[in-house]
């Protein structure tokens, strides 16, 4: 086992995501701190979302993970589907086993924070549209903030 990552205890970082990254011996070697409150939804179409990586003891910056905002026509692909681009930047002194762990943690972060569905979805059955404006991160949970429009309450069956 190379290692793993999990939300910090208690409360997963409060109002900003916080992951603890451990090696194969269950020793913490990095903390990943996310942005305050808002991740995912339409927010990810407008700005890069940064997660800083630091040493838990010395607080030295080890790198960062950035979910890149889509450019040009990729915004439509991202708005109605799932098209994510991440950048992983690490200090030169980070060892290969830690790099492997950070790559795996990046995939976990994509699943936790950005795979909750498309920011915009259409339901042809009742002719409604739902827009996920953002996901508010509170005490380790993602709470979607969305609005709905349209819809026919009398669905014929």
């Amino acid at each position: 086992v190379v290692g793993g990552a999990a939300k910090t205890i208690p409360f997963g970082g409060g109002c900003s995501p916080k992951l603890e990254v451990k090696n194969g011996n269950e020793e913490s070697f990095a903390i990943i701190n996310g942005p305050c409150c808002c991740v995912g939804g339409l927010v990810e179409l407008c700005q890069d979302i940064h997660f800083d990586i630091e040493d838990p003891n010395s607080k030295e910056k080890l790198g960062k993970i950035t979910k890149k905002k889509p450019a040009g026509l990729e915004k439509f692909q991202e708005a109605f589907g799932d098209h994510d681009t991440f950048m992983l930047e690490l200090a030169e002194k980070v060892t290969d086993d830690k790099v492997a762990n950070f790559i795996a943690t990046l995939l976990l972060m994509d699943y936790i924070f950005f795979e909750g569905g498309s920011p915009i979805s259409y339901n042809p059955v009742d002719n409604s549209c739902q827009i996920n404006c953002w996901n508010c991160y509170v005490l380790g949970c993602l709470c979607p903030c969305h609005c709905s429009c349209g819809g026919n309450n009398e669905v014929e069956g």
Side-chain angles (χ1 to χ4, degrees):
V1 175
V2 174
K7 293 178 190 171
T8 57
I9 297 178
F11 309 124
C15 289
S16 49
K18 185 179 249 186
L19 296 170
E20 183 178 22
V21 186
K22 297 181 179 184
N23 63 20
N25 297 326
E26 293 292 315
E27 298 164 336
S28 178
F29 70 86
I31 297 289
I32 299 176
N33 294 301
C36 184
C37 290
C38 301
V39 296
L42 289 179
V43 169
E44 65 187 83
L45 299 178
C46 304
Q47 65 186 24
D48 291 346
I49 299 173
H50 303 282
F51 295 84
D52 293 322
I53 305 169
E54 65 181 33
D55 183 288
N57 301 316
S58 69
K59 304 295 183 203
E60 176 186 5
K61 187 171 179 178
L62 299 175
K64 72 178 178 178
I65 295 172
T66 304
K67 184 191 181 295
K68 303 294 287 179
K69 71 178 179 181
L73 295 177
E74 289 177 352
K75 288 185 192 259
F76 292 106
Q77 213 173 5
E78 178 72 24
F80 296 100
D82 190 24
H83 182 268
D84 298 329
T85 303
F86 288 89
M87 183 184 307
L88 174 62
E89 299 174 71
L90 297 171
E92 288 185 30
K93 70 177 193 171
V94 176
T95 60
D96 290 345
D97 59 330
K98 290 179 181 177
V99 170
N101 204 329
F102 286 131
I103 292 170
T105 301
L106 185 150
L107 294 173
L108 175 66
M109 291 169 58
D110 181 31
Y111 178 75
I112 292 172
F113 302 119
F114 303 106
E115 293 297 323
S118 302
I120 301 172
S121 60
Y122 172 72
N123 184 344
V125 173
D126 70 351
N127 202 29
S128 67
C129 180
Q130 182 169 321
I131 300 168
N132 182 12
C133 300
W134 64 84
N135 296 319
C136 189
Y137 185 88
V138 180
L139 303 177
C141 301
L142 283 178
C143 305
C145 298
H146 61 266
C147 59
S148 298
C149 58
N152 180 1
N153 293 336
E154 298 178 24
V155 178
E156 295 180 20

